[in-house]
Amino acid sequence: MSTTNGNGAVVVDRAGNQPGRGAWLHPAPECLQAAIRRRAFSRALRISGSPDVSGVEEYFDRLEIGSPPRETEQVAKNMSTP
């Protein structure tokens, strides 16, 4: 996942080829909720404030319906501009 265009939105980067700092998260809804509750994205991506994780939540919702996930997913990268 990555923050896109400096707007603080965290997105999934399945290919792992987006520039910037990345974070990894087990693809389970309870792990996502724990990361949100503990503000782990801000710490892992070294950003201030609370990023928008709605794109990640949508991705996890689709995982529950669709194909089985990989063991871990690259969930975020910090692509915000200074």
Side-chain angles (χ1 to χ4, degrees):
M1 296 179 202
S2 59
T3 58
T4 57
N5 301 325
N7 66 4
V10 180
V11 297
V12 175
D13 179 15
R14 284 196 55 122
N17 59 7
Q18 297 292 323
R21 183 171 182 81
W24 294 85
L25 180 67
H26 185 261
E30 57 273 10
C31 294
L32 174 61
Q33 293 308 314
I36 293 168
R37 184 179 65 252
R38 297 176 60 219
R39 297 184 177 106
F41 290 119
S42 296
R43 284 194 312 276
L45 300 174
R46 297 182 184 165
I47 57 176
S48 60
S50 297
D52 175 11
V53 295
S54 60
V56 179
E57 291 171 321
E58 290 173 15
Y59 176 79
F60 274 61
D61 288 343
R62 286 192 309 266
L63 281 180
E64 291 179 7
I65 297 168
S67 63
R70 296 185 295 188
E71 195 167 313
T72 59
E73 295 283 344
Q74 183 158 13
V75 293
K77 284 194 177 178
N78 181 4
M79 296 184 348
S80 57
T81 54

